[in-house]
Amino acid sequence: MRIETSTVQVGELSAYLARPAGRGSGDTAASGMLLLPMITGIGEQVRVWADELAGRGITALTWDVFHGASTDNTSREDLGAKLGDLRDEAALAEQTALLDHLLGDLGCATAGVMGWCLGGRFALLLAARDQRLSGVVAYHPTVRDPAPPNHDLDAVALSTRITAPVLVAYPSADAVVSPETFARLQTALQSRPRGATFTQHFPGAEHGFSDSSRHGTAVNADAFALSWPQTLAFLDVLKG
């Protein structure tokens, strides 16, 4: 399937858009995904995933976490230094505006959310707040315990409010999120009266294993090779 890519303006926000070629705002059958990047911002890795989803018939709109800074033009160390400036409410307001754009101007009949690391945590928070979402994918969500000062919202506690199906991927050698914290998240997700929970657990894989820059370590590459086809199948079900 041919795709079209562009950088679009949504109010004051810039976002990366990838969608099937020829799809316009009048296509009410369109399925959308809001992508919430990891520390890379809208770098090459995230654009590759967005383009792949577009090739499968999904309109992918990607949040610009750092408002122009990404691994395309900024070191990971400098991007990491910006993490403390991210505040939950401000970030969720931006993500909601992009979701509105997917379901409004871009004409998507349904939209889910997929995030990695910091974006995985925000995927859970956004889904807890906005029940318009058709599904949630959270790759190695960065749920720290104790939470840093800028994490105003408790992603574990709020996950009980998610009504959509959730797929969450966790690597057992995650040096950022402890097994105990992930177990609490699992308990919260599985306590929901509505919304299926699908868990991917990868022994020995590391935090951020989905990022191709980590695939020089075989256990990370193998984990992603197993995980990604299942994730795509999950997304195919969501789009109907």
Side-chain angles (χ1 to χ4, degrees), residues 10 13 15 34 61-63 94-102:
V10 181
L13 303 174
L34 176 61
L61 188 65
T62 305
W63 176 46
E94 293 183 357
Q95 295 157 18
T96 299
L98 296 180
L99 180 60
D100 290 344
H101 188 62
L102 270 173

Side-chain angles (χ1 to χ4, degrees), residues 102-179:
L102 270 173
L103 294 170
D105 292 343
L106 293 178
C108 293
T110 62
V113 63
M114 179 189 299
W116 299 264
C117 301
L118 71 94
R121 174 177 175 270
F122 276 120
L124 297 170
L125 289 174
L126 183 63
R129 179 166 293 185
D130 199 321
Q131 296 188 356
R132 292 177 297 172
L133 289 163
S134 60
V136 184
V137 178
Y139 267 94
H140 29 75
T142 304
V143 182
R144 296 179 181 271
D145 188 11
N150 62 314
H151 286 195
D152 304 307
L153 301 176
D154 186 336
V156 172
L158 291 173
S159 290
T160 60
R161 302 182 185 179
I162 300 172
T163 57
V166 176
L167 186 156
V168 60
Y170 179 72
S172 73
D174 195 323
V176 177
V177 181
S178 70

Side-chain angles (χ1 to χ4, degrees), residues 50-86:
D51 293 354
E52 184 172 356
L53 296 188
R56 298 175 71 89
I58 298 171
T59 296
L61 188 65
T62 305
W63 176 46
D64 185 358
V65 183
F66 302 114
H67 298 178
S70 73
T71 45
D72 290 347
N73 53 34
T74 307
S75 71
R76 287 179 183 250
E77 291 74 21
D78 287 344
L79 292 172
K82 295 176 179 293
L83 290 177
D85 296 331
L86 284 176

